[in-house]
Amino acid sequence: MKRKALIIGVNSQDGSYLADLLHSKKYKIFGTVRNLNNLKKKWQKSTKVSLIKLNTFDFTSIDKIIKRTDPDEIYNFTGLTAGDEMYDNVIEACNVNGNFVMHIMESLKNTKKKIRFCNSSSREIFGVKKSFMINEKSKIDPRSPYGAAKAFATNIIKIYRERYGLFCGSAIFFNHESPRRGHNFVTRKISSSAVRIKLKKQKKLKLGTLDSFRDWGFAGDYVNAMWLMLQANKPDDYIISTGKTYTIRDFCEEAFNLLDLNYLDFVEIDTNITLREKKNYKVAGDFTKAKNELEWKPKVKFRQLVKMMIESDYELEK
């Protein structure tokens, strides 16, 4: 009998890669989206997903969806992403990234079926105050509404796990990218702009800084870690990262080099862009626990990731 999975936020970058993975493993997949009309599906054409509309501000609806789909596993990717706009929507960000997860936990607590649950958390729960390597024992100390909401969700999952014996955990993701990344993220902005400049559709690329560090991995690798978490003998929280950092400058240089261009000729600093981080701290994730307990490690290297994004954007722009 096919295992059933519910992917909350299936048309997100991560949700779509997970759908492809679960399809390859013969799951019956249910996926929630915010809008069924004019949906541009990100997952592969061969992947089959039964779509369900979900209003993430209507907390009672998720309980009905869980009862209706009766899944064996639930993966949650829904949320308002980090960025300057979150400061204009603090209540919404905290509700979707925090309180919504609490309602999922309540639903799982009250169901008779032993459903396994994994939530996508973020390295933003630790905040950034200095350069250091983060592991699961690092102090949770968020510095943004997004980070605070994700920290609440991570803590409430741990409480329900310990109090009620639920099989639930948090995948604490560091930055992860792919050709399916939205254009509002700096990596996709760089890859798409570099291609457009190569094709003479664009003249310059303006960025706020080139010197911020990121621990960048591939989204497809990271969702595989989530799946492994729910196949384990016991639930827990895991850092999912590469352990290596690169700057935005590194990303620009690699992206433009792949197109036989020099980024210095095209990339400009726009001082009007508000920087989320005032100092360039070098922060990376230690995935040792995931490596030892889940036998997981990232497969796609930094340069492979940039190449993957450039090639995809080149095909789109042609």
Side-chain angles (χ1 to χ4, degrees):
M1 191 173 180
K2 278 189 176 183
R3 279 190 288 177
K4 292 184 288 184
L6 172 62
I7 303 175
I8 304 172
V10 72
N11 206 40
S12 62
Q13 169 190 247
D14 299 350
S16 65
Y17 276 108
L18 180 66
D20 291 337
L21 175 69
L22 297 184
H23 175 76
S24 72
K25 296 182 182 297
K26 311 301 182 185
Y27 277 68
K28 179 174 176 58
I29 306 165
F30 298 95
T32 74
V33 293
R34 289 175 181 157
N35 190 350
L36 287 170
N37 299 322
N38 302 317
L39 181 69
K40 294 181 180 179
K41 299 174 183 178
K42 293 183 180 179
W43 54 87
Q44 295 173 354
K45 288 184 179 180
S46 60
T47 296
K48 296 179 181 179
V49 181
S50 298
L51 293 173
I52 304 167
K53 184 178 179 180
L54 169 65
N55 178 359
T56 50
F57 296 104
D58 177 11
F59 296 143
T60 60
S61 62
I62 189 60
D63 184 63
K64 296 174 184 176
I65 290 172
I66 291 172
K67 287 177 179 176
R68 193 170 100 205
T69 57
D70 188 37
D72 300 292
E73 300 169 6
I74 299 176
Y75 301 85
N76 180 43
F77 297 107
T78 195
L80 298 179
T81 55
D84 289 335
E85 64 273 10
M86 69 179 159
Y87 288 95
D88 299 323
N89 300 286
V90 174
I91 294 174
E92 289 89 343
C94 290
N95 273 332
V96 175
N97 296 311
N99 290 333
F100 179 69
V101 176
M102 180 177 64
H103 281 266
I104 295 174
M105 301 314 299
E106 271 293 293
S107 182
L108 296 182
K109 183 192 76 173
N110 294 326
T111 187
K112 293 180 180 179
K113 186 174 183 176
K114 300 296 182 183
I115 301 172
R116 297 190 171 199
F117 173 73
C118 189
N119 190 56
S120 60
S121 187
S122 166
R123 69 107 175 160
E124 296 257 347
I125 68 175
F126 299 107
V128 177
K129 294 175 293 181
K130 60 180 181 179
S131 298
F132 68 125
M133 181 74 79
I134 291 174
N135 61 32
E136 290 82 1
K137 294 181 180 179
S138 297
K139 182 181 179 182
I140 292 179
D141 190 17
R143 287 286 188 259
S144 69
Y146 175 85
K150 286 289 188 179
F152 170 77
T154 303
N155 282 329
I156 204 71
I157 288 169
K158 183 179 179 182
I159 289 168
Y160 274 73
R161 181 170 70 230
E162 294 177 350
R163 174 77 176 180
Y164 302 108
L166 299 183
F167 198 110
C168 53
S170 298
I172 305 169
F173 284 163
F174 275 63
N175 297 73
H176 50 292
E177 317 301 320
S178 76
R180 301 178 189 179
R181 182 52 106 180
H183 285 85
N184 56 320
F185 288 83
V186 68
T187 50
R188 188 69 190 283
K189 185 176 181 180
I190 294 168
S191 66
S192 62
S193 294
V195 166
R196 288 179 62 81
I197 289 169
K198 177 68 176 180
L199 297 175
K200 301 190 184 308
K201 294 183 178 182
Q202 184 175 325
K203 292 182 178 180
K204 297 289 182 179
L205 166 60
K206 292 185 178 182
L207 298 172
T209 180
L210 293 178
D211 300 318
S212 290
F213 288 91
R214 295 287 185 272
D215 181 337
W216 274 308
F218 172 52
D221 286 344
Y222 284 31
V223 299
N224 185 52
M226 291 184 82
W227 178 77
L228 289 170
M229 285 173 62
L230 295 196
Q231 314 315 307
N233 292 326
K234 62 182 182 66
D236 211 338
D237 304 329
Y238 293 89
I239 295 284
I240 307 301
S241 63
T242 71
K244 297 180 180 179
T245 58
Y246 295 88
T247 61
I248 294 173
R249 186 183 301 277
D250 294 328
F251 201 104
C252 285
E253 184 173 12
E254 187 66 27
F256 280 84
N257 279 348
L258 287 166
L259 297 164
D260 297 319
L261 299 173
N262 185 342
Y263 80 99
L264 293 172
D265 295 332
F266 305 101
V267 179
E268 297 178 350
I269 299 299
D270 187 347
T271 55
N272 293 319
I273 296 177
T274 303
L275 299 180
R276 283 176 53 210
E277 297 165 6
K278 304 304 180 186
K279 294 184 179 180
N280 299 320
Y281 294 118
K282 193 173 183 178
V283 179
D286 179 359
F287 65 91
T288 301
K289 182 178 175 182
K291 181 180 179 181
N292 291 340
E293 296 185 9
L294 304 176
E295 298 183 357
W296 177 88
K297 63 179 180 180
K299 295 179 181 178
V300 176
K301 308 296 183 185
F302 173 73
R303 286 171 177 79
Q304 291 174 291
L305 175 62
V306 182
K307 186 172 186 286
M308 185 189 300
M309 295 179 70
I310 286 291
E311 289 177 346
S312 174
D313 276 324
Y314 194 84
E315 286 301 313
L316 287 172
E317 287 293 342
K318 271 203 309 183

